[in-house]
Amino acid sequence: MAPVSRALIAITSAHAPLYPGGKETGLFITEALHPFQVFRQAGFEVDLVSETGTYQPDWLSQQKDWLNDKDRAEWEDHTSEFRSKLDKLLKPSDIEPAKYGLFFASAGHASLIDYPDAKGLQEIASHIYTSGGIISAVCHGGAIFPGIIDPSTKKPIIDSRRVTGFTTRGEEEENVLDTIKSWNRPTIEATAASCGATYVSPAGPWDAFTITDGRIVTGANPASAHVTAEAAVTAFGKL
């Protein structure tokens, strides 16, 4: 039986100082909003979930360079479908994995903090993958992959796969590598290597870029959220 045309977008619950003046990272808004828009346009029902049922928006993601007027209007409108679901964020205990055919890990640097230990989200994703669904992640969302296990191999589902995600070069350009080290977390490139995956870099840290390898679809950065979601829909259509 074909997987259900219903998508689940994971949201980071974490937040921490990252930017000048102590401004914090959290959910990078468009990394959830753009996939939400793509999935709804493709006819999917869409739900939003975080490990604790809470979230905080990333400071940078709310700035004009990263949130255009149209997206800002949807973000600030608490009656919009996206914002109302974000305001009533689900927890893993609210989710029946069998109702979903596509799992998408949105991000923000904060996902490096909570996704590696987000057992509830990881179990949901593992169930969706085992049931034949699509697993996708953008930017730092790949921090969740070490805990998404393929029961047939007992290894992370990205083992021997080609994946992308936010570049270490990008972390260096943002001067945040030391902060990530203080969180005792690896970069996305290091995470991919630890899972037996082959990391493929975009031409530049901020270029839109996505890779599909079987039922795994990954994207490199905030600019890639839209095209990664489109690729996930395309992969779903081939199931």
Side-chain angles (χ1 to χ4, degrees):
M1 186 173 70
V4 182
S5 296
R6 189 168 182 174
L8 185 64
I9 298 177
I11 307 289
T12 178
S13 293
H15 59 92
L18 181 70
Y19 305 110
K23 295 179 177 66
E24 293 197 327
T25 179
L27 164 66
F28 207 92
I29 296 165
T30 55
E31 291 183 6
L33 175 57
H34 289 173
F36 185 90
Q37 294 167 340
V38 169
F39 296 148
R40 291 297 287 125
Q41 187 174 4
F44 284 70
E45 292 296 319
V46 186
D47 290 316
L48 308 179
V49 61
S50 76
E51 188 71 9
T52 65
T54 64
Y55 83 100
Q56 178 172 302
D58 180 281
W59 172 80
L60 183 64
S61 76
Q62 299 175 78
Q63 306 312 303
K64 189 171 182 63
D65 286 348
W66 295 98
L67 195 66
N68 65 36
D69 290 343
K70 179 177 179 293
D71 289 340
R72 183 178 299 279
E74 189 166 354
W75 155 249
E76 293 181 347
D77 179 4
H78 290 264
T79 67
S80 72
E81 185 183 10
F82 173 76
R83 187 60 190 267
S84 62
K85 288 195 171 186
L86 199 55
D87 289 343
K88 299 173 183 175
L89 204 54
L90 301 173
K91 302 185 299 295
S93 59
D94 300 318
I95 301 298
E96 293 182 43
K99 291 185 175 181
Y100 300 90
L102 195 160
F103 178 95
F104 188 98
S106 69
H109 276 87
S111 59
L112 294 176
I113 299 172
D114 70 323
Y115 276 2
D117 299 321
K119 300 301 183 186
L121 297 179
Q122 292 166 357
E123 289 175 7
I124 291 167
S126 294
H127 187 284
I128 293 171
Y129 183 79
T130 302
S131 299
I134 299 297
I135 304 298
S136 186
V138 69
C139 203
H140 294 89
I144 201 168
F145 281 127
I148 306 179
I149 304 301
D150 182 343
S152 67
T153 64
K154 311 300 183 186
K155 296 179 179 179
I157 60 172
I158 62 170
D159 177 63
S160 301
R161 300 285 187 179
R162 297 170 72 249
V163 299
T164 191
F166 198 65
T167 66
T168 301
R169 175 183 161 193
E171 309 291 15
E172 293 169 344
E173 290 185 4
E174 288 196 294
N175 295 313
V176 297
L177 266 181
D178 286 344
T179 300
I180 292 171
K181 290 176 182 176
S182 76
W183 296 339
N184 195 30
R185 295 304 193 199
T187 63
I188 291 300
E189 290 188 35
T191 294
S194 73
C195 291
T198 298
Y199 175 84
V200 182
S201 178
W206 308 104
D207 293 336
F209 182 67
T210 183
I211 288 179
T212 299
D213 190 339
R215 292 187 289 114
I216 310 295
V217 183
T218 50
N221 47 41
S224 306
H226 189 276
V227 294
T228 303
E230 288 182 327
V233 169
T234 298
F236 183 89
K238 295 178 179 177
L239 296 177

